[in-house]
Amino acid sequence: MNKTITIIVCLFCVLSAVWATGEERLNESDANVFGHVLDKQSGEHLPFINVIIKGTTIGTTTDNSGHYFLKNLPEGKFTIEYKALGYKPVTREVTLKKGKTLEINVELEEDQIALEGVVVSANRSETTRRLAPSLVNVIDSKVFATTNSVNLAQGLNFQPGVRVENNCQNCGFQQVRINGLDGPYTQILIDSRPIFSALSGVYGLEQIPANMIERVEVMRGGGSALFGSSAIAGTINIITKEPLRNSGELAHTFTSIGGSSSFDNNTTLNASLVTENGKAGIYIFGQNRHRAGFDYDGDGFTELPKLKNQMVGFRSYIKTGTYSKLTFEYHHMNEFRRGGNNLDRPPHEADIAEQLEHSIDGGGLKFDLFSKDYKHKLSVFTSAQNTDRNSYYGTNKDPDAYGKTTDLTWIAGTQYNYSFDKLLFMPSDLTAGLEYSFDHLKDEMLGYNRYTNQKVHIESAFLQNEWKNKQWSFLIGGRLDKHNMIDHAVFSPRANIRFNPTEDINIRLSYASGFRAPQAFDEDMHISAVGGEVALIQRAKDLTEEKSQSLSSSVDFYHRFKNGIQVNFLIEGFYTNLSDVFVLEDIGKDEQGNLIKERRNGSGAKVMGLTLEGKSVLTSWLSIQAGVTLQRSRYKEPEKWSNDESVPAVERMFRTPNTYGYFTSSVTPFKRFTASLSGTYTGSMLVQHLAGYILMDKAVETPDFFDMNVKLAYEFPIYKEMKLEFNAGVQNIFNAYQSDFDQGKNRDSAYIYGPGSPRGYFAGAKISF
């Protein structure tokens, strides 16, 4: 069945491409448009502005002098859109006629708050952030640069309601939390496709380099139900970079961890190539990272594992016709990580060792077809990712603790969009689609008698309609999933209302339900060491799906003052009710003496809170952004987590601070120099601390942390558009880092909390053209 679907998708793409290419040859018209684009405030010509004819695949960018030229355009009435990051988009209506040339000059106004930026996660189709039915936050390349974030995991910390935490001293297992809910509650997408599997989720956040990412769209809460199961807390949609113009960049950064001789070296390379007629392009990216293992407390055991990571990939497109486009993407990652002690010895000779080697291949293919009146759009897509992992978890008493894991994730589907001029009472957009996803996970660790052979296949259909104008938006939709590990189909409804009493005020209200299937999750693919022994997770035999009901409401206010100051303030309330919630309980040891934790259904939980975020562009050279989340996460009934009867059950959810937040700021006092200040705050939380290094299990109330970073950068012009940048700075200036790590071979490696690394000093260089 899988092969049949793949063949059908490929044939459809090829035939449509041939048909569209034939159509293209009929459209040579000598209808042309040319002009220039200026900055409205300064009057300067703007280079590299995107100029697109909406509803078609036709587009270009302005050249170094801010001019553009579109030639041999189809006849008819069209809308030309001019847009770029940091500017409000502008549209112009044109009527194109054979043999006629039009001159259209435009001025763009700065929009550093980026409310007019395009997002796709709100309703599975492109819309501006200001008019999106659900609240979508965007992490763009500026955030990664300002905060010196070299990968996805580091950049995600600088969003409201989002935290990335390190859960293991030995291997550096990371997970992302949205609104306090742990990793498996968040659906991670690559170009809107859920190929980020449970195995990828263990270390994948750190494996995706920043130079691969165009932007990251974060949608908190159940409004993301249309993307499928495990989207209870929200979605993180990684949009990869698309080639726009001929350009290139080479950069290297090295960081001294803790001011020691342990260094983190990161090299990135990327290039974008576009044909002269703009009908084909390719964006190529690569990364090489090498981080030495780091022992913070001097006990001979790592707090940060040794890491070697290489990645190479590309994203490319071919415009097969005026109204059709074929996009494909591929990436290959190779990673080695090793933690514990005696890192220079084979893992089975160490007191504690966790060693992993990953080889990951992934990619996707998408074909888009528009109608001539751009009311219809059809997309056919397929994406896949295969992960091979060789691992070792154990001690010098476990020479056979080697393992082998493979994980193949595959998805195919189609989506149709239609724009009504008026449906019942106002214009609307209809979205409908079908998806089939498959995941085959094989995990074998003979030394611990752990063997998993899990096949998950989900047949899905989704349908929604959004009535909208500039003042109102009403969205009603739902998704139907048939999961092979659930004996019934699951329907997840969704409803959203947006109201703009004025152009600069957005009021939103959202409801959605969701579910998590009783399958293997990220945590299950990881093994932690406690007291010199290994801790494993197993599923209860009667485990059933977890269900959720989510509500959120928000007010988003934007204002631009006459003196050019821009401000944006957001307040959002959220509430999630979980039933049959998954909880872990320590149930004792197996015959080999391994600690066993069982995932079972608990009574349920409630998560509620408030998120505040503010952005301000005070002048053309000073911008500030900050956010804070206040929340409460409680089980409906106290949950027992230890097999020690003297250890009390807990009502408060573990690893969920009541308060956490972030800030970023950037100062450019003169043209080529930028100073950036950023930081995160993590409030006190409750953390499990298992017996081993300590005498008995206990729940620990952690201190709070404020982690602040500074970066200075100066750019030198070299030749024409070639530039050289030098930068340097300090991460975690105040060394806000955990001070009570367990030590030695009997430590609880999962007893780790707070910022991911201690104070570090970094410097780097980047050449771009």
Side-chain angles (χ1 to χ4, degrees):
M1 179 178 177
N2 298 347
K3 292 181 179 179
T4 302
I5 294 176
T6 304
I7 292 171
I8 292 172
V9 170
C10 293
L11 283 176
F12 181 84
C13 291
V14 171
L15 292 174
S16 299
V18 171
W19 168 79
T21 305
E23 176 199 38
E24 173 79 11
R25 287 192 290 267
L26 300 176
N27 285 335
E28 300 294 330
S29 65
D30 198 30
N32 309 310
V33 176
F34 74 96
H36 63 238
V37 181
L38 303 177
D39 184 294
K40 187 175 182 178
Q41 185 175 4
S42 68
E44 295 181 357
H45 285 82
L46 295 174
F48 315 129
I49 302 297
N50 297 312
V51 184
I52 299 168
I53 298 183
K54 296 184 69 174
T56 75
T57 61
I58 300 170
T60 187
T61 60
T62 57
D63 60 20
N64 294 340
S65 67
H67 292 78
Y68 71 95
F69 182 46
L70 295 168
K71 61 182 180 179
N72 286 323
L73 305 176
E75 295 183 87
K77 293 183 178 181
F78 293 93
T79 300
I80 301 180
E81 184 175 38
Y82 304 80
K83 61 182 182 180
L85 182 66
Y87 287 91
K88 290 184 178 180
V90 169
T91 59
R92 292 288 186 269
E93 305 296 326
V94 297
T95 300
L96 302 175
K97 296 181 179 180
K98 185 179 179 68
K100 299 291 183 179
T101 298
L102 302 177
E103 180 179 0
I104 301 178
N105 301 315
V106 300
E107 295 179 330
L108 296 188
E109 185 179 4
E110 279 193 292
D111 174 35
Q112 297 190 49
I113 299 296
L115 287 182
E116 304 295 344
V118 172
V119 294
V120 297
S121 301
N123 55 9
R124 293 187 68 116
S125 61
E126 288 190 353
T127 187
T128 63
R129 181 174 171 260
R130 183 196 291 268
L131 298 179
S134 298
L135 190 65
V136 179
N137 283 76
V138 176
I139 310 171
D140 58 30
S141 55
K142 287 185 178 180
V143 175
F144 283 97
T146 298
T147 60
N148 198 48
S149 300
V150 300
N151 56 50
L152 174 65
Q154 294 174 350
L156 282 175
N157 282 302
F158 300 95
Q159 281 295 296
V162 180
R163 287 181 55 247
V164 177
E165 61 183 22
N166 188 346
N167 291 155
C168 182
Q169 291 171 271
N170 291 333
C171 66
F173 164 40
Q174 293 182 321
Q175 65 170 315
V176 61
R177 290 176 176 264
I178 296 181
N179 289 348
L181 296 172
D182 58 12
Y185 286 94
T186 297
Q187 184 82 70
I188 298 179
L189 312 167
I190 298 180
D191 291 323
S192 301
R193 312 291 172 235
I195 59 171
F196 215 78
S197 66
L199 183 59
S200 301
V202 184
Y203 309 104
L205 297 175
E206 205 172 12
Q207 292 171 341
I208 297 179
N211 71 322
M212 168 185 172
I213 301 171
E214 171 67 29
R215 66 184 186 274
V216 181
E217 298 178 5
V218 179
M219 187 161 63
R220 301 184 296 272
S224 52
L226 209 64
F227 285 99
S229 63
S230 299
I232 291 173
T235 59
I236 294 172
N237 194 0
I238 304 158
I239 308 298
T240 59
K241 286 186 176 179
E242 186 170 294
L244 297 175
R245 60 185 179 88
N246 294 330
S247 62
E249 181 180 282
L250 173 65
H252 181 80
T253 302
F254 67 92
T255 303
S256 171
I257 307 172
S260 70
S261 58
S262 294
F263 287 96
D264 186 348
N265 282 275
N266 187 75
T267 304
T268 60
L269 171 67
N270 51 266
S272 177
L273 301 172
V274 179
T275 59
E276 186 176 352
N277 61 11
K279 293 182 179 179
I282 184 170
Y283 179 85
I284 303 169
F285 52 86
Q287 181 197 44
N288 183 77
R289 185 183 182 195
H290 183 192
R291 184 183 69 195
F294 179 68
D295 174 17
Y296 180 73
D297 54 11
D299 68 340
F301 293 78
T302 61
E303 271 65 58
L304 293 175
K306 180 179 181 180
L307 179 66
K308 294 180 181 180
N309 181 289
Q310 295 86 35
M311 183 179 189
V312 65
F314 68 88
R315 177 171 175 171
S316 183
Y317 69 81
I318 299 174
K319 295 177 180 179
T320 54
T322 302
Y323 303 100
S324 59
K325 181 180 179 181
L326 185 66
T327 305
F328 44 99
E329 181 265 337
Y330 169 77
H331 58 264
H332 172 77
M333 291 181 274
N334 220 315
E335 185 192 70
F336 170 89
R337 61 175 62 216
R338 167 74 183 273
N341 73 332
N342 295 334
L343 301 188
D344 57 340
R345 305 293 300 164
H348 61 266
E349 294 183 13
D351 295 302
I352 289 289
E354 295 197 28
Q355 178 174 298
L356 304 108
E357 296 179 73
H358 293 92
S359 179
I360 303 171
D361 291 277
L365 180 69
K366 183 176 73 163
F367 182 74
D368 293 313
L369 181 64
F370 303 85
S371 64
K372 289 186 178 181
D373 59 2
Y374 53 91
K375 289 181 178 296
H376 304 265
K377 180 185 177 183
L378 178 67
S379 297
V380 181
F381 54 85
T382 183
S383 296
Q385 182 165 282
N386 184 72
T387 303
D388 285 310
R389 179 177 79 172
N390 293 310
S391 59
Y392 178 91
Y393 296 93
T395 70
N396 51 18
K397 299 182 294 183
D398 308 304
D400 298 323
Y402 289 89
K404 172 72 175 177
T405 310
T406 60
D407 191 11
L408 172 64
T409 304
W410 183 81
I411 183 172
T414 183
Q415 179 175 313
Y416 170 72
N417 297 85
Y418 181 73
S419 296
F420 293 91
D421 292 328
K422 186 176 183 180
L423 179 63
L424 299 179
F425 52 90
M426 69 171 61
S428 76
D429 291 332
L430 174 72
T431 301
L434 299 171
E435 286 181 348
Y436 173 80
S437 60
F438 173 80
D439 180 75
H440 186 193
L441 172 68
K442 292 177 66 177
D443 178 52
E444 186 175 17
M445 296 200 70
L446 297 178
Y448 298 117
N449 196 30
R450 186 178 87 174
Y451 181 75
T452 301
N453 187 3
Q454 175 182 272
K455 292 184 179 181
V456 172
H457 49 86
I458 310 173
E459 295 87 17
S460 308
F462 54 87
L463 177 69
Q464 73 174 23
N465 194 73
E466 181 187 2
W467 290 268
K468 65 178 181 179
N469 56 30
K470 288 186 177 180
Q471 187 173 24
W472 287 97
S473 171
F474 303 95
L475 185 149
I476 298 176
R479 181 183 176 103
L480 188 67
D481 291 287
K482 180 59 185 76
H483 194 293
N484 67 301
M485 302 184 77
I486 303 175
D487 59 8
H488 56 274
V490 179
F491 178 65
S492 302
R494 173 190 180 189
N496 299 77
I497 299 174
R498 171 185 56 82
F499 173 53
N500 287 50
T502 70
E503 183 182 5
D504 293 336
I505 298 177
N506 281 26
I507 300 173
R508 294 181 174 93
L509 179 65
S510 300
Y511 163 79
S513 72
F515 76 99
R516 286 205 299 163
Q519 62 189 66
F521 292 110
D522 305 5
E523 291 175 293
D524 307 30
M525 298 298 101
H526 167 256
I527 297 178
S528 60
V530 184
E533 303 293 343
V534 161
L536 304 173
I537 295 175
Q538 68 180 30
R539 285 168 286 160
K541 294 181 180 180
D542 59 349
L543 189 67
T544 63
E545 77 268 21
E546 181 178 352
K547 298 175 283 293
S548 71
Q549 307 288 330
S550 297
L551 283 170
S552 66
S553 62
S554 65
V555 178
D556 200 0
F557 170 77
Y558 166 81
H559 187 70
R560 185 186 183 103
F561 296 91
K562 291 183 180 180
N563 59 4
I565 294 177
Q566 301 176 58
V567 295
N568 177 215
F569 182 73
L570 164 73
I571 179 169
E572 179 191 24
F574 58 89
Y575 172 83
T576 300
N577 182 54
L578 302 171
S579 56
D580 297 319
V581 64
F582 295 154
V583 295
L584 289 176
E585 182 180 356
D586 183 351
I587 61 172
K589 296 186 177 182
D590 62 12
E591 296 177 354
Q592 296 173 287
N594 303 311
L595 177 64
I596 303 299
K597 297 181 179 182
E598 184 177 75
R599 177 176 286 113
R600 58 175 181 79
N601 293 111
S603 59
K606 293 181 180 180
V607 178
M608 63 191 74
L610 194 68
T611 292
L612 306 173
E613 184 183 27
K615 303 177 185 177
S616 178
V617 180
L618 301 177
T619 68
S620 60
W621 53 270
L622 175 61
S623 62
I624 301 172
Q625 179 174 331
V628 63
T629 298
L630 312 171
Q631 72 172 62
R632 185 177 188 273
S633 306
R634 297 290 187 271
Y635 295 114
K636 294 177 182 177
E637 297 178 7
E639 295 290 344
K640 188 166 179 59
W641 59 276
S642 170
N643 66 349
D644 187 335
E645 295 298 328
S646 65
V647 177
V650 296
E651 182 182 4
R652 183 177 170 186
M653 296 178 74
F654 284 114
R655 307 189 72 89
T656 305
N658 292 332
T659 307
Y660 53 99
Y662 79 100
F663 83 95
T664 63
S665 61
S666 181
V667 181
T668 308
F670 47 93
K671 189 173 182 180
R672 305 190 188 282
F673 175 76
T674 302
S676 303
L677 199 64
S678 60
T680 61
Y681 172 76
T682 306
S684 177
M685 56 185 165
L686 200 64
V687 174
Q688 292 172 310
H689 193 175
L690 301 181
Y693 179 75
I694 61 174
L695 295 177
M696 61 179 291
D697 299 344
K698 64 179 180 179
V700 176
E701 186 80 27
T702 70
D704 60 349
F705 294 93
F706 178 60
D707 171 8
M708 191 168 75
N709 320 297
V710 63
K711 177 181 179 180
L712 307 176
Y714 190 86
E715 187 178 80
F716 297 89
I718 300 178
Y719 175 74
K720 292 184 178 181
E721 292 303 311
M722 185 173 291
K723 302 172 184 177
L724 175 63
E725 178 192 287
F726 290 104
N727 59 74
V730 184
Q731 293 176 326
N732 199 349
I733 296 173
F734 303 122
N735 200 32
Y737 200 54
Q738 183 176 343
S739 60
D740 64 339
F741 287 112
D742 277 7
Q743 296 184 342
K745 65 180 182 180
N746 291 325
R747 69 182 184 176
D748 174 7
S749 63
Y751 182 61
I752 182 171
Y753 55 85
S757 60
R759 181 190 296 123
Y761 304 90
F762 68 88
K766 177 175 67 176
I767 186 169
S768 58
F769 58 90

